[in-house]
Every structure is written in C-alpha cells, then in structure tokens.
Amino acid sequence: MTEPNPWEPPLAGTEAEHLAGALDRLRSTFRWKADDLDAVGLQTTIGPSSLTLGGLLKHLAAVEDSYFTTKLTGDKLGAPWDDNGWDGTNDWEFESAVDDTPEQLYALYDGAVERSRAKLRSVLADGGFDQPIHASDGGGNHANLRRLVCDLIEEYGRHTGHADLLREAVDGMVGEDPPDGWRARSQRG
C-alpha cells in the first residue's frame, strides 16, 4: 500500500484528525492552484471581477493569522501585520497584493499557515474542540475551537473554488487535488 499524500485526511481518524485534515486538504489544494506563478499570473482577473490569486494569497494569509490570533486568544496581530500599510478597509488584502512580489505573497501565505498549524497543535494539546475561544457574540457567549476551524474550512472552500477558476484562466491548469508528490515551489529542495 502506498503512503497517502500529506493533504489527504485520514480514512478513519479522530475528530481532530478529520477537521485538521479537511482544513489541510483545502490549504494544499488552494496553494497548488496558486503555486509557481509570476506577477502577471498572480494578478490575472476574470471578466469584471477584480479578484486575483495574489489577492487571495494575501487575504487567506490575513485570515489565518486573524483566526488563530485575534479570534482564538484575543491577542493583537503582530508581525507581519503590525506595520503593513493596512488602510482599514475590508478589501485591503485584495487591493494591495498588486504591490507585492510573488515571493512576498508566497512567503506571507506559507508563514501564516505554518503559524496557524503550530497554534492549532498547541491548543489541541491543551484540550479538544469543545474549549472556548476568545471570539464571542458580544453577549458573553464564546465560540469554541470547533467553530473556528469549521469557519476556516468554509472560508477555504469558497476561495479554493475562486482559485480553481482563476488558475484555469491563467494557464489552463485544472484538477481537484494536487498531483501525487506535489510540493509548493518554495518547499522544493
């Protein structure tokens, strides 16, 4: 039997393994769709939409850090977000990505995912998905870790679909999962 790809969730695992596995599968699929492009490829749009793969890389990097910092613990975002020129708008990540190089966008995204994975491993070591997190409804009712991870899975589901369409427009690449043995260009030796 061959070793499964690292992004494949377990066939029969625990709740933590399945939720983390589903999230990592979407992260890997998204990263594969955005991988190995130059600035032109990362800034390609479809029709009247201004959405780009570069904007999605930056947006999902911000979402990863926001979820696993502000929503999880209530801490303020630190580097690389504390001095990044954010203008307070909700579309800043999408609009400002045009000013970033491909290397900056890939490093920003990859770093955010690694920080999130480490924080999720750490918080799961301290308890399961039922533990409360900082995010609340304002009335004292706190979400739990399961809700945070499920919300992030939903965010990735939406944007991985966008990435699929954008990548096909760039160079015709299609597919549901990365090919066997795939690794992001930045992770190749």
Side-chain angles (χ1 to χ4, degrees):
M1 186 170 169
T2 61
E3 184 69 21
N5 287 313
W7 54 81
E8 191 64 35
L11 188 59
T14 65
E15 178 186 28
E17 291 168 335
H18 278 284
L19 288 174
L23 178 56
D24 273 337
R25 182 179 192 170
L26 284 165
R27 284 171 171 156
S28 294
T29 302
F30 171 78
R31 185 61 173 83
W32 170 56
K33 293 294 182 175
D35 195 38
D36 206 13
L37 292 173
D38 61 12
V40 172
L42 288 173
Q43 300 311 321
T44 297
T45 61
I46 299 173
S49 174
S50 62
L51 192 64
T52 66
L53 286 167
L56 286 171
L57 279 164
K58 195 166 191 175
H59 171 68
L60 286 171
V63 168
E64 289 272 1
D65 279 332
S66 173
Y67 275 45
F68 283 99
T69 303
T70 307
K71 287 187 176 194
L72 180 65
T73 65
D75 293 337
K76 291 186 178 200
L77 292 177
W81 305 105
D82 51 1
D83 187 27
N84 59 15
W86 181 56
D87 66 4
T89 66
N90 289 334
D91 291 334
W92 174 83
E93 311 98 81
F94 296 111
E95 294 167 357
S96 67
V98 71
D99 298 324
D100 299 316
T101 67
E103 294 78 18
Q104 289 170 319
L105 291 168
Y106 291 130
L108 185 67
Y109 176 80
D110 292 341
V113 169
E114 286 310 310
R115 287 187 294 277
S116 294
R117 283 182 178 136
K119 288 177 182 179
L120 181 58
R121 279 191 302 271
S122 176
V123 74
L124 281 173
D126 291 337
F129 279 102
D130 290 327
Q131 61 186 301
I133 62 171
H134 176 75
S136 72
D137 63 4
N141 301 304
H142 288 266
N144 61 23
L145 182 60
R146 181 181 298 102
R147 171 66 187 263
L148 183 135
V149 171
C150 287
D151 284 354
L152 192 53
I153 289 169
E154 178 185 1
E155 185 83 9
Y156 267 97
R158 177 182 316 113
H159 293 314
T160 300
H162 295 143
D164 192 40
L165 294 171
L166 287 163
R167 184 59 187 251
E168 186 175 3
V170 171
D171 61 9
M173 187 181 89
V174 296
E176 184 176 330
D177 289 320
D180 288 344
W182 174 84
R183 289 185 357 192
R185 182 175 195 177
S186 62
Q187 299 168 351
R188 296 179 209 151

